[in-house]
Amino acid sequence: MLGALRRKVVSGGSSASILGKTLQAIRPGVSASRVSSYAGKEMLLVQARGIAHVRNFSHLVLPGCSAGLANKRDAVCIIQSEAIMQMSCRAFSSGDGDLIDAVVPFMGESISDGTLATFLKKPGDRVTADEPIAQIETDKVTIDVVSPQDGVLQEYVSKEGDTVEPGTRIAVISKSGEGVAAAAPTEKKSEKAACEPSPSAKTVKEEKPKDKVEASPAKEKPKAPSPPPPKRTATEPVLPPKERERRVPMTRLRKRVATRLKDSQNTFAMLTTFNEVDMTNLMKLRSDYKDAFVEKHGVKLGFMSGFVKASVSALQHQPIVNAVIDGDDIIYRDYIDISIVVGTPKGLIVPVVRDADKMNFAEIEKTINNLAKKATDGAISIDEMAGGSFTISNGGVYGSLLSTPIINPPQSAILGMHSIVSRPMVVGGNVVPRPMMYIALTYDHRLIDGREAVFFLRRIKDVIEDPRRLLLDV
């Protein structure tokens, strides 16, 4: 009996008549009119919406009847199995399966949403599988939304500037490309029809001016003289017109940077100490071995690797600088991950050199160059920026002579490098020109005392001025 019911429903028979006959056979006391009053409405819900409506349907058809209830549920469950199978096949398509949705990918454990920044393709453009069609801007990185399959971009279902979450539909891709080109004339016709007012609207518009003209004689009153414009005093400043100003919304990355820097300023008891470094020996080391270094390691020898090695040595001598406050506790880190500040057109990004204490000069230079390139291209990942126990910021590449950097939370200190300037220095009782650099250490005074901060900066100065200390560990 139940198998016959399933075959009749699948073949397209009337759900009301089929179910009525079936229930009369199962339970003769049920009238056909009583069944048909519910079957026509609820049977459609059985196929479309699922088991929750099936059970509701059971109680409506047989209220208070427990004898035939179990059998009827078995019947509709058999019917429902095909509906579930059909719905699961159409989870990411519409119609005959030609249309596919492009959705926002997973953006990282610490990122819950992002802003739809730009569309890289236009509706009607042909796209290939895994080709970026839009960009999502998050608090940390920019993520691409790619096309799931080859086809033609039919339409965007989200707008630029929308806040989207992982799984949000961004665009619709047509695998065959049919219906994409024909969509434009239809839209033009609808726009043209919308612009033309209906005849009734025209009549109303024509009648309104007449009414105004007829009512105007009765409402006319003598107008009061308008007050003269206020005279501008001599001391009042003349502001530029608003037309010469532009208001642009902040990017999510810029807002995140602003929030973190202000939180750092409000949380830490920041203090900065300074020193100056004679770069003569490090510059000579670089000049003597730069060609051999490139030939062997395939990367140029820069100053950053020297300062990273000096910072590692200073952190080993002053481990409190590598620690951080967590509530009422102090967390000492037994690893050294150096964060390097990289300036990009979209804002500051701070990738991390992992286990810098285990790297040599060549490994540090390669890692920094790789991370800097990724940051500039917008291809850096969340994992490559997470963590870090100490930060180095090199404002000297932009010509900065002196600055007070802000701590990168949740770290406790940051080293600021600056430009190299030739200045007169006293060496061996004689005044000679020397390439000098100011260095600055901003630290959390709640955790680090001035003594440790000065010793830390002094260690960096000693290592940079005499790199042989690294070899002898003195």
Side-chain angles (χ1 to χ4, degrees):
M1 177 72 71
L2 300 180
L5 171 61
R6 180 176 177 275
R7 288 194 296 273
K8 289 181 181 180
V9 172
V10 173
S11 62
S14 170
S15 59
S17 60
I18 294 171
L19 188 59
K21 292 176 182 179
T22 304
L23 293 176
Q24 283 180 337
I26 296 173
R27 188 172 179 84
V30 179
S31 63
S33 60
R34 189 176 171 193
V35 172
S36 61
S37 63
Y38 295 104
K41 176 180 178 182
E42 296 293 330
M43 197 63 184
L44 296 176
L45 294 175
V46 168
Q47 294 177 340
R49 295 190 180 178
I51 299 173
H53 291 278
V54 170
R55 292 182 177 176
N56 189 22
F57 166 74
S58 304
H59 293 288
L60 287 173
V61 175
L62 299 173
C65 302
S66 59
L69 188 60
N71 295 332
K72 213 272 307 160
R73 283 182 180 171
D74 293 339
V76 293
C77 286
I78 296 173
I79 299 170
Q80 179 63 20
S81 62
E82 291 192 1
I84 295 174
M85 188 179 299
Q86 293 173 1
M87 291 173 67
S88 63
C89 293
R90 294 196 299 267
F92 296 96
S93 61
S94 60
D96 58 354
D98 178 62
L99 302 182
I100 302 176
D101 295 332
V103 300
V104 177
F106 176 70
M107 297 183 288
E109 295 182 358
S110 61
I111 301 178
S112 58
D113 57 19
T115 300
L116 183 55
T118 55
F119 293 128
L120 305 179
K121 297 290 183 179
K122 297 179 181 178
D125 290 351
R126 182 162 293 279
V127 295
T128 59
D130 297 329
E131 181 180 2
I133 61 174
Q135 288 186 332
I136 306 296
E137 192 176 73
T138 68
D139 298 342
K140 299 180 180 179
V141 294
T142 300
I143 298 173
D144 291 334
V145 179
V146 300
S147 173
Q149 288 191 13
D150 296 345
V152 176
L153 179 59
Q154 188 180 58
E155 63 173 344
Y156 286 109
V157 295
S158 299
K159 298 180 296 183
E160 290 186 356
D162 288 354
T163 299
V164 294
E165 299 177 352
T168 303
R169 295 174 64 229
I170 295 297
V172 178
I173 308 296
S174 173
K175 291 189 288 186
S176 64
E178 296 178 358
V180 178
T186 307
E187 292 177 359
K188 291 181 179 178
K189 289 181 180 179
S190 60
E191 290 177 2
K192 188 175 181 182
C195 294
E196 294 181 359
S198 61
S200 58
K202 290 180 180 179
T203 307
V204 173
K205 288 182 180 180
E206 291 176 357
E207 290 177 356
K208 284 184 178 180
K210 293 181 181 179
D211 297 340
K212 288 182 180 179
V213 172
E214 293 175 0
S216 59
K219 293 183 180 180
E220 282 184 357
K221 293 182 180 179
K223 294 182 179 179
S226 58
K231 295 182 179 180
R232 191 182 299 273
T233 61
T235 58
E236 186 175 351
V238 179
L239 300 177
K242 294 293 184 181
E243 292 77 11
R244 297 175 61 185
E245 299 178 350
R246 291 183 298 117
R247 183 180 293 270
V248 180
M250 292 176 66
T251 62
R252 291 180 68 94
L253 179 59
R254 174 52 57 190
K255 287 191 288 187
R256 180 62 175 169
V257 169
T259 301
R260 284 178 61 84
L261 292 180
K262 190 59 182 175
D263 290 344
S264 174
Q265 193 178 43
N266 295 338
T267 302
F268 299 129
M270 288 191 291
L271 187 63
T272 305
T273 184
F274 302 93
N275 212 321
E276 58 182 357
V277 178
D278 187 347
M279 298 290 292
T280 301
N281 291 331
L282 185 61
M283 293 177 69
K284 186 178 185 302
L285 178 69
R286 180 190 183 192
S287 177
D288 292 343
Y289 295 100
K290 62 179 181 180
D291 295 334
F293 193 87
V294 172
E295 183 179 352
K296 181 176 181 178
H297 301 291
V299 64
K300 293 182 178 180
L301 177 61
F303 293 136
M304 282 302 300
S305 56
F307 274 91
V308 169
K309 295 292 288 185
S311 298
V312 168
S313 178
L315 289 170
Q316 291 172 340
H317 280 73
Q318 300 294 332
I320 190 65
V321 181
N322 202 43
V324 65
I325 293 178
D326 184 18
D328 295 332
D329 301 325
I330 299 176
I331 299 176
Y332 287 89
R333 302 181 175 111
D334 295 329
Y335 58 90
I336 297 177
D337 291 347
I338 304 293
S339 302
I340 307 295
V341 178
V342 178
T344 68
K346 295 183 178 179
L348 294 177
I349 294 179
V350 191
V352 180
V353 178
R354 308 284 182 191
D355 296 323
D357 53 322
K358 301 177 182 179
M359 292 184 176
N360 56 31
F361 281 82
E363 291 171 338
I364 293 173
E365 290 290 351
K366 290 178 181 179
T367 304
I368 292 176
N369 289 345
N370 184 36
L371 293 174
K373 187 177 184 304
K374 285 185 177 181
T376 304
D377 296 341
I380 196 166
S381 66
I382 300 296
D383 294 338
E384 291 171 321
M385 296 188 296
S389 58
F390 183 76
T391 298
I392 299 177
S393 174
N394 186 7
V397 296
Y398 307 110
S400 173
L401 180 64
L402 195 62
S403 67
T404 55
I406 298 178
I407 298 173
N408 178 27
Q411 300 171 13
S412 298
I414 179 173
L415 175 68
M417 298 169 53
H418 301 93
S419 59
I420 301 173
V421 179
S422 181
R423 294 201 304 271
M425 303 297 294
V426 178
V427 179
N430 300 319
V431 178
V432 295
R434 290 285 190 175
M436 304 298 294
M437 175 192 288
Y438 288 119
I439 56 175
L441 178 72
T442 299
Y443 58 97
D444 185 2
H445 208 352
R446 301 177 304 165
L447 176 65
I448 305 169
D449 293 331
R451 175 179 176 272
E452 285 78 12
V454 172
F455 283 166
F456 180 92
L457 211 55
R458 180 72 191 187
R459 178 62 184 176
I460 291 180
K461 172 182 172 67
D462 293 342
V463 171
I464 295 298
E465 291 184 345
D466 188 1
R468 295 174 297 179
R469 288 177 175 270
L470 294 174
L471 298 176
L472 302 176
D473 191 22
V474 294

